[in-house]
Amino acid sequence: MGNHYCKGEYSPETKIGASILTLQLEKEEKVFRLKKDQTAILRFLLSKGITFSNYTPQKRNEGRITEKTYRSIANIAFWFCATAMVTLLATAALNAVFDGNTIYQYKWMKETMFFILIPSCLFCVILCWNALLFQCNYVQVTSEALILKGIVFETILPYKHMRKVNFSQDFSKQPSPILELMDKDYRYRKYALRGTAFKAIDEITKTLRAAGIDATNSNR
């Protein structure tokens, strides 16, 4: 198995770019979208002797890695505005539903409002707030770790614990970079980078390689 960042950029079935897990079959390459039990799948394949075909351990450069932050103000502002707009529209819709002065011509119209409009509004609001608070991460590189900073949480990923990093893209939602990480114990993790611009990914990839990490960029 391997990660090929120059092949299979987009799959209509999976709606993603080339994943960190690309199985090389006898006559074709199959790209998989890992949704759950990612770590178990990786460890199972390794236990069967199926190893990464293009995993190339990197040597850390002797020079010091310059600390730098890759933050897209435009991306973050977009999610702030989108969340605010959806919240205001949902609030207005819910006010109209619960307004005692609202007159419905047919009874089924009122039932439709309660059972379709209200859940739809709540779903959209939760979706936008989740993207803003938990997925709008931007990247900061330091001499010892890759730091993902979000609105609420900060995640520190030390270089010494990383084995493989791949930057992919999720086409099924608002296009945004995704960081796929496999650590030294073959644990798989994935992080959305909605607060980072695509144009910064190449530079981040080069920095990770300089830090001794096998990093690839599937967005190219």
Side-chain angles (χ1 to χ4, degrees):
M1 59 182 170
N3 162 243
H4 298 267
Y5 54 89
C6 293
K7 299 180 181 179
E9 283 82 1
Y10 175 73
S11 167
E13 297 179 356
T14 58
K15 296 183 179 180
I16 58 168
S19 171
I20 199 171
L21 179 59
T22 302
L23 291 184
Q24 296 177 325
L25 307 179
E26 291 184 359
K27 297 183 179 180
E28 63 178 341
E29 287 186 353
K30 184 71 174 179
V31 178
F32 288 86
R33 175 61 180 262
L34 299 178
K35 293 184 178 180
K36 58 181 180 180
D37 299 328
Q38 302 96 331
T39 299
I41 293 173
L42 291 174
R43 290 177 175 174
F44 172 78
L45 292 172
L46 290 168
S47 70
K48 298 299 181 181
I50 303 174
T51 58
F52 277 93
S53 60
N54 71 333
Y55 168 61
T56 307
Q58 305 289 316
K59 291 185 178 180
R60 176 161 182 151
N61 293 351
E62 295 182 0
R64 180 179 175 81
I65 296 176
T66 304
E67 183 173 316
K68 188 173 182 179
T69 298
Y70 301 89
R71 176 172 48 200
S72 173
I73 301 299
N75 287 11
I76 297 174
F78 168 82
W79 283 105
F80 266 109
C81 293
T83 302
M85 184 178 298
V86 169
T87 303
L88 289 174
L89 290 175
T91 302
L94 294 176
N95 285 337
V97 171
F98 290 105
D99 186 357
N101 297 323
T102 302
I103 300 176
Y104 299 96
Q105 186 174 1
Y106 301 102
K107 183 179 179 180
W108 63 264
M109 294 179 64
K110 184 176 182 179
E111 294 176 349
T112 300
M113 289 291 187
F114 274 93
F115 294 106
I116 296 180
L117 181 61
I118 294 177
S120 298
C121 288
L122 293 176
F123 174 78
C124 291
V125 170
I126 292 173
L127 194 67
C128 286
W129 277 102
N130 177 70
L132 176 64
L133 297 179
F134 303 109
Q135 299 181 20
C136 204
N137 300 307
Y138 61 91
V139 175
Q140 181 182 23
V141 294
T142 66
S143 60
E144 299 298 331
L146 181 74
I147 302 175
L148 306 181
K149 294 190 174 183
I151 305 298
V152 178
F153 299 109
E154 177 179 290
T155 304
I156 300 177
L157 304 172
Y159 299 138
K160 62 181 180 180
H161 294 160
M162 296 182 184
R163 182 181 297 273
K164 177 78 175 180
V165 170
N166 178 59
F167 292 96
S168 183
Q169 179 175 354
D170 189 345
F171 292 87
S172 61
K173 302 175 184 178
Q174 176 69 23
S176 59
I178 291 175
L179 186 152
E180 295 180 289
L181 168 66
M182 183 175 66
D183 66 16
K184 295 292 185 180
D185 296 323
Y186 293 98
R187 284 193 294 264
Y188 175 92
R189 283 172 282 176
K190 183 177 66 175
Y191 303 93
L193 303 178
R194 298 187 187 278
T196 304
F198 280 107
K199 61 183 180 181
I201 300 300
D202 265 339
E203 186 175 342
I204 298 172
T205 301
K206 293 177 181 178
T207 302
L208 290 176
R209 289 176 182 168
I213 308 301
D214 183 19
T216 51
N217 180 11
S218 295
N219 297 304
R220 295 190 301 174

